[in-house]
Amino acid sequence: MSYVLQAVIGAEAVLRRVAAQQPGAVVVPLRQGFALIPMTDELFDSATDGGRGDGLRFSKLPGGFERVLADWSTAGPLGYVEAGYAGGVGTQRAALWADGDLAIGPMFVDVNEPFPAIGSPISQVLAHLGATRRRRDRDEFVAVGLDRCRNTEAWLAVDRSATPEVARSRR
């Protein structure tokens, strides 16, 4: 079974405000007041400046989008995260923007590398954003509900009018 995630993550109120300015941006609520904007092909195409977005070593970060993230982060901190897994093997990448600057990262864990003791790159970004893991959650990734969907299409199908707990109970 595979898992693929490429998204902007932050406080839901912040993401709703900035998404209104960006064609193709769809806000999907998570738990703990967070939300994500999946990096869809439409968002990628509307956000790219036509350059290569690989300076930060992300696989689906549009060229020039790091400037958009810096601008958006003046409204509140946010992260850009990517994960790709197949059969339990994969990679994670994450970075955090705050106050108009790249504040943390990018952080990487590649194939067959263990997560650092302080947590996966995505969990570290979520912790800096204020996510907290509860006793029953293995990490911040699970605590905010990033384990709920396995790919972009599934995130786009989530009922965005319902809270994550209500949407999950409908499945």
Side-chain angles (χ1 to χ4, degrees):
M1 185 177 270
S2 66
Y3 180 92
V4 176
L5 176 66
Q6 295 131 348
V8 178
I9 297 179
E12 184 174 0
V14 170
L15 290 187
R16 289 205 180 280
R17 212 173 7 220
V18 298
Q21 312 164 30
Q22 187 66 49
V26 176
V27 178
V28 181
L30 298 168
R31 291 192 287 263
Q32 298 187 23
F34 293 100
L36 65 81
I37 298 174
M39 183 53 69
T40 61
D41 291 339
E42 182 183 359
L43 175 57
F44 185 96
D45 291 344
S46 74
T48 188
D49 66 4
R52 293 179 52 103
D54 59 1
L56 296 177
R57 294 181 49 208
F58 288 100
S59 65
K60 197 169 180 177
L61 184 69
F65 196 59
E66 65 275 7
R67 288 187 300 279
V68 172
L69 293 170
D71 288 344
W72 286 2
S73 75
T74 61
L78 50 88
Y80 181 77
V81 302
E82 293 185 349
Y85 288 89
V89 177
T91 63
Q92 271 196 32
R93 294 178 172 8
L96 179 80
W97 280 261
D99 299 319
D101 291 310
L102 178 63
I104 298 172
M107 298 174 281
F108 309 101
V109 172
D110 285 317
V111 175
N112 296 325
E113 290 181 352
F115 289 152
I118 59 174
S120 73
I122 294 175
S123 286
Q124 289 181 58
V125 163
L126 288 168
H128 282 286
L129 289 170
T132 56
R133 82 175 147 200
R134 299 163 296 193
R135 195 177 349 216
R136 67 177 183 250
D137 300 322
R138 95 178 152 263
D139 57 16
E140 291 81 3
F141 186 99
V142 173
V144 301
L146 289 176
D147 59 335
R148 193 168 47 143
C149 296
R150 303 200 68 75
N151 58 48
T152 299
E153 292 75 27
W155 285 111
L156 294 173
V158 168
D159 181 355
R160 286 177 290 285
S161 66
T163 65
E165 288 75 18
V166 171
R168 189 179 44 231
S169 69
R170 291 182 183 166
R171 294 180 197 194

